[in-house]
Every structure is written in C-alpha cells, then in structure tokens.
Amino acid sequence: MAHNERSRHITQGVARSPNRAMYYALGYERADFDKPMIGIANGHSTITPCNAGLQPLADAAVAAIKAAGANPQVFGTPTISDGMSMGTEGMKYSLVSREVIADCVETAVQGQWMDGVLVLGGCDKNMPGGMIGILRANVPAIYVYGGTIKPGHWKGQSLSVVSAFEAVGAFMAGRMSEEDFEGIERNACPSTGSCGGMYTANTMSSSFEALGMSLLYSSNMANPDREKLESAAQSATALVEAVKAGITPRKIVTRQSIENAVALIMATGGSTNAVLHYLAIAHAAEVEWTLDDFERVRRNVPVLCDLKPSGRYMAVDLHRAGGVPQVLKILLNAGLLHGDCLTITGRTIAEELAAVPDEPRADQDVIRPYRTPIYREGHLAVLKGNLAEGGAVAKISGLKSPVMTGPARVFEDEQSAMDAILSDRIRPGDILVLRYLGPKGGPGMPEMLAPTSAIIGRGLGDSVGLITDGRFSGGTWGMVVGHVTPEAFEGGTIALVQEGDRIVIDAHRQLLQLDVGEEELARRRSQWHQPEPRYKRGVLAKFAALARPATEGAVTG
C-alpha cells in the first residue's frame, strides 16, 4: 500500500468507524483524526544506565510532535543490558533481544496502523533491533539515540565500563592494587548513557547518521546534556516533515547508503557487531549485502579516529572534535561516500554535509586528516579457511601484528576459558577456541568480553589469540576472531579442533586455518555428534530454531 493510501485509511477509516470512540478515551478531539499518528517506540528502562535517561527524550519528542501538528502514540520496547549480563547465562538473551525489539516495533506500527515512527533506544541491540523493525514496517521513521555516557575518571585516567572488565584481569594477575581496582569499578560509569567508547552502541548510532536515518551530530552527544533533549525534539519535528513528504525508510536505506554506513564504521574503528547487524539490516531492507562487501569497503577506507577500545578517546571527545559529520566530510572528499544518498531530512548526505569543514580542526587529534590516518585500511577483516569456510570476522586495530600461529586451547564454554585465564594456564602464543556459542549452539551467540578483557588485563593482548563462533563486545580488542561459520553446533570445523592443534590467524592473507590434514578431519567428523539443544522451550529455543548463520546476520525472519 502506498504511503498516501495508508494515510487516507487512517484519517478517513478511523474517523468514520466505531474505533474512534477509543481514541476519544485517549483525549482526541474531532480535528485530531485529520492529523498523522506518530508512534514513539520508547526503550526507557531503569535496568541499565544506557536506557535510564530515555524518558526525558521521549517527553521532548512527544511535545515536538504535537507542536508540529501530529499525534504522538507511545509504546514500549524491552532492553537487555549487555554490560550487566556479560559473562552470565543472561548474555544469551542479548542478540535475541534485537529480534524481540524488531518484532515490537513492527507489531505496534502495523497493528495500530501508524503513519510514522520515532524509535528511541540506548543499549547495543536497541539500534539494530529498532532499525530492522523500521524497515519491516516501512513507514516514515527516524532513529533517536539516547546518547553516550560521560567518561569516568580515576587518578587522571578516563574510564569506561570496559575499564572495569580489564581491571579484573589486572587485579587477579597482581598487576593492580585493590585501591585502584575498587576506584575503577566505582567510577567507571558516572552518568546515564550508553558505554562511552566506540563500542557497539556508539558504533551503530554513529552509522545511522551515515545511513541517513538519524540527524547529523546526534549520535555522540552525552545523554545528560541539554543538547540531547534538543536533538530529540528536532528529530521528532523532522519525522513529521518526512511523513508529510512520504519519505519512507526503504527510499533511504539502499545498497549505497549501507556502504556509507560501513565506511563510517571502518573510519571510526567500530565494533565487530556492526558486521552482524548490517547483514541483518540489509536483509530487512531487502538489499543485497554480504561479508565480501565489508572486506571490499575495508580495503578502501582508512581508520581516521583514535577511539577506544584500541585507541585513546571516548565518544564525547569525537563529538567535541567535529563528530560523525566531520568524518563523513573527509570520506566524501576522498570519494569514499555516496553523496547522492537521500536522508531523513529530504536532502542528500552531500547537501547535509555542505557546511562541514573539509579538514578536521588542528586543535584536536581525535580525528585524523585523510593523508595521515591511524591505519591505511579498515580494522574489521573477513577471514576464511578450513576453520571458517563461511567466514569469520577479526578486529585487527591496536595490534603490533595481525598474524599469529599457535596451539589450540579448547573450551566448550566461556566460564571454563575464564577460569583458565585467571589461573595462569594460558601462555603467550596460545590460541583459545571457545565453541558451541553460535546463534544455535549458544544459543543466542553471546559476547566474550569477560575472557578477552581478562586477557588484556593480564598483559597478553598481543600474544594470545581467541577464536569463537560467538560474538565479541564492542569493547573487545586484541587478536580475536568471532562469528566463525559454520558454527560448532552445525558441525563446523571449529567443532573438530582438539587441544594442541596448530591454528593460523593471518589477517594479511585473510586466513583462518586449522593445520590438520583432510583425512584426519574426515575421521573426526565421522565421530562427531550434534549435542542436545541447551534450551528446548521459550525464547532461546525459538531463536535457536529460527536463527540463520552469522554470515546472514543471525536473523530470524
């Protein structure tokens, strides 16, 4: 149904049906039935600082929508705190929540036949979940990010939640005092807002500016700051105009605009999770996009921003230095951005960037000029080989060398790996293999921030590798390779690895190889049996039954 047909259905159909009685109960007047109905998918939750500051933004959006001559209708979406569930069974619900959020947005928008929707979220899966729901519904929409947390501070050091995870490894290794451990833990998260480095939440929100689905400058504001309130109101006003103009998400989210978003992710050193999520977003938009496309973009786009986890600065520092628009302008001038892509404002991305300076300011070093990048190529490398025939994703920023060969140390779950790291049973040169943690095997493809942070905290970040069919937190860095496909639960080669086998990780050759002969692998495969599912009822069982491989975004529909 075309958008104008949809609007006539609401303004005429509802106005001439008994359903209008229920709208009167909500405070409607007769004239309100001629106004667009705008949904606000509100991810407010007191379960996590990422989402605890969203309600004022929702209130600002409600007021702006009314002022623009439309009727706001608020509904809720859930969130799972990745940081709080990390290292627990609860982390298995994190990726699942992306699908639940998408279902919530689609269900409410389509079930109530809304004219447009503003999705408001904070924690990691809020962004891709909301965007997938937006693309399924395909009514005019805008994404409003809740904003980043402010940096914590301890003895002159800027902190984020990842600092606390890394402190565990350092403290257990005797490399940190109890005073510093407690000081970091107490001061790492000083305000509301999402994790403060270029981790998954800030990666996805930043990419939405490049995608054209969020207003420029909106993604790296701090949640407690007044400018975030003002940005939420401006976003709501822009959405009402998009409804009037009939600008729908699938007019904005195209192969070219996804390429813009991925270029921005590479330039800012973003999270490996962005690979998984953009495969899912492309699927929802019915746009052709594969792992090979990420590798194609990576080879052309340099890393321009010195941001945590592998760099020095936080998202608020990027904002002060010129923000995502400054990075996009550099990419545009270098011919690495499709400037003719439409944005939610009705203008092209090139038109939106017209007033942005061509070069980053000289008084900052968060954003590098194109001629002097941090790395000449992007940091998210796609690896393939007999250990990942379908592909795997490596994050290679911050490493002295993206090449490692070593003996496999095999673990069937995260906790046993964590115990080995903290008890000094992992040595330089070892390559940890954490398996049965994929979309079906986990189920839910949990993140491995606890073991990777413990490795960093113990000073082994450059000398120990870790591969998994699970995922990594956006705060992870080091010699890590995730999203290994096929996963162990599906009989992938990762299920056949034995203690001491020689593994090669080589980002230069895009290789993830198990040095075991084909005859021996065939023998092991003949003896392998798929384990029983860990969950047989509930949402995790549903996800395990429906989820596609990580190379297809682990989508369920």
Side-chain angles (χ1 to χ4, degrees):
M1 180 179 289
H3 174 71
N4 59 350
E5 294 172 329
R6 181 188 183 101
S7 296
R8 282 200 299 271
H9 177 83
I10 290 175
T11 58
Q12 296 176 13
V14 171
R16 296 178 182 176
S17 77
N19 297 350
R20 126 179 117 177
M22 300 186 74
Y23 286 92
Y24 281 128
L26 295 172
Y28 270 53
E29 299 295 339
R30 186 178 184 84
D32 289 323
F33 293 109
D34 293 324
K35 299 176 181 178
M37 182 194 297
I38 309 295
I40 298 177
N42 184 4
H44 174 77
S45 169
T46 59
I47 197 65
T48 170
C50 305
N51 292 54
L54 296 187
Q55 190 57 50
L57 307 184
D59 294 340
V62 165
I65 288 169
K66 289 180 177 178
N71 286 318
Q73 300 292 344
V74 181
F75 61 94
T77 63
T79 194
I80 296 296
S81 171
D82 288 37
M84 291 173 169
S85 65
M86 201 72 68
T88 74
E89 197 73 2
M91 169 46 64
K92 294 179 179 180
Y93 288 85
S94 170
L95 184 60
V96 176
S97 74
R98 182 191 73 180
E99 302 300 294
V100 175
I101 292 165
D103 290 347
C104 285
V105 172
E106 178 191 2
T107 300
V109 171
Q110 300 290 64
Q112 297 303 134
W113 215 238
M114 295 173 181
D115 288 299
V117 61
L118 180 152
V119 181
L120 172 62
C123 202
D124 293 5
K125 307 310 171 294
N126 294 188
M127 270 66 70
M131 190 59 65
I132 291 167
I134 281 170
L135 289 162
R136 288 182 193 165
N138 201 34
V139 301
I142 194 166
Y143 201 98
V144 176
Y145 178 49
T148 185
I149 198 170
K150 293 188 173 183
H153 297 283
W154 177 250
K155 293 185 177 180
Q157 177 185 1
S158 291
L159 305 175
S160 72
V161 67
V162 177
S163 306
F165 279 87
E166 293 179 356
V168 171
F171 179 68
M172 295 294 288
R175 300 173 64 237
M176 179 179 289
S177 69
E178 185 169 356
E179 176 194 10
D180 286 337
F181 175 72
E182 291 189 357
I184 290 172
E185 186 177 55
R186 288 180 177 273
N187 292 283
C189 300
S191 74
T192 52
S194 299
C195 299
M198 191 48 68
Y199 310 146
T200 302
N202 286 325
T203 296
M204 295 306 297
S205 65
S206 296
S207 74
F208 285 178
E209 289 190 38
L211 190 65
M213 290 297 295
S214 291
L215 296 186
L216 292 186
Y217 295 103
S218 66
S219 63
N220 295 138
M221 297 173 176
N223 173 261
D225 290 350
R226 180 162 185 81
E227 66 176 349
K228 188 70 245 187
L229 273 176
E230 295 168 350
S231 177
Q234 291 163 3
S235 299
T237 302
L239 174 58
V240 175
E241 292 304 310
V243 170
K244 295 175 182 176
I247 301 173
T248 53
R250 294 200 193 184
K251 294 178 181 177
I252 298 172
V253 181
T254 63
R255 181 173 170 82
Q256 289 71 34
S257 69
I258 289 176
E259 186 165 320
N260 287 349
V262 172
L264 187 279
I265 291 162
M266 295 296 178
T268 55
S271 168
T272 54
N273 283 309
V275 175
L276 193 76
H277 296 326
Y278 267 97
L279 288 167
I281 287 168
H283 175 80
E286 298 183 281
V287 168
E288 182 182 349
W289 190 264
T290 69
L291 271 183
D292 292 337
D293 289 309
F294 288 97
E295 184 60 27
R296 174 177 54 81
V297 175
R298 181 187 79 83
R299 292 180 178 182
N300 293 324
V301 178
V303 178
L304 299 173
C305 299
D306 190 8
L307 297 169
K308 288 181 182 293
S310 59
R312 293 178 292 166
Y313 295 106
M314 308 287 270
V316 291
D317 299 314
L318 174 61
H319 185 58
R320 286 192 289 263
V324 168
Q326 182 63 80
V327 182
L328 291 175
K329 188 61 174 285
I330 295 170
L331 296 177
L332 180 67
N333 290 342
L336 297 173
L337 203 72
H338 298 283
D340 58 349
C341 287
L342 182 67
T343 74
I344 188 62
T345 66
R347 297 182 291 275
T348 67
I349 190 73
E351 290 170 335
E352 288 287 282
L353 295 170
V356 177
D358 288 332
E359 294 287 334
R361 297 197 321 267
D363 64 347
Q364 58 81 44
D365 59 353
V366 182
I367 306 171
R368 298 278 188 90
Y370 182 76
R371 63 185 177 276
T372 57
I374 296 173
Y375 304 105
R376 290 289 174 187
E377 293 183 342
H379 64 300
L380 300 179
V382 175
L383 309 186
K384 294 183 180 180
N386 71 348
L387 196 45
E389 296 97 329
V393 180
K395 190 174 188 178
I396 59 176
S397 55
L399 295 173
K400 295 175 183 176
S401 172
V403 178
M404 180 179 290
T405 299
R409 303 296 309 279
V410 182
F411 302 93
E412 308 294 315
D413 57 65
E414 179 182 1
Q415 189 55 53
S416 59
M418 189 71 175
D419 292 343
I421 297 165
L422 295 179
S423 60
D424 288 328
R425 288 183 280 130
I426 302 301
R427 303 297 181 194
D430 287 347
I431 297 179
L432 283 71
V433 178
L434 278 67
R435 63 191 181 191
Y436 293 102
L437 296 166
K440 293 182 178 295
M445 211 178 175
E447 294 179 349
M448 301 291 108
L449 181 60
T452 57
S453 295
I455 289 169
I456 297 297
R458 295 180 96 75
L460 300 171
D462 283 310
S463 60
V464 168
L466 191 155
I467 69 172
T468 180
D469 49 7
R471 297 183 296 124
F472 294 113
S473 164
T476 290
W477 67 279
M479 180 56 83
V480 296
V481 184
H483 309 192
V484 171
T485 307
E487 62 173 290
F489 189 81
E490 294 282 84
T493 305
I494 190 172
L496 309 180
V497 180
Q498 294 182 0
E499 189 81 6
D501 285 347
R502 185 172 179 267
I503 291 175
V504 178
I505 305 172
D506 189 335
H508 292 316
R509 292 189 290 161
Q510 297 174 249
L511 182 66
L512 184 62
Q513 187 77 11
L514 178 65
D515 279 354
V516 174
E518 285 301 316
E519 186 175 330
E520 172 62 14
L521 284 179
R523 185 191 67 80
R524 294 181 189 181
R525 185 166 280 111
S526 69
Q527 296 177 349
W528 178 82
H529 300 285
Q530 187 177 67
E532 283 289 310
R534 288 174 171 162
Y535 287 83
K536 297 183 179 180
R537 299 181 64 190
V539 69
L540 289 180
K542 292 177 185 177
F543 184 88
L546 295 173
R548 300 189 187 189
T551 49
E552 298 178 36
V555 297
T556 58

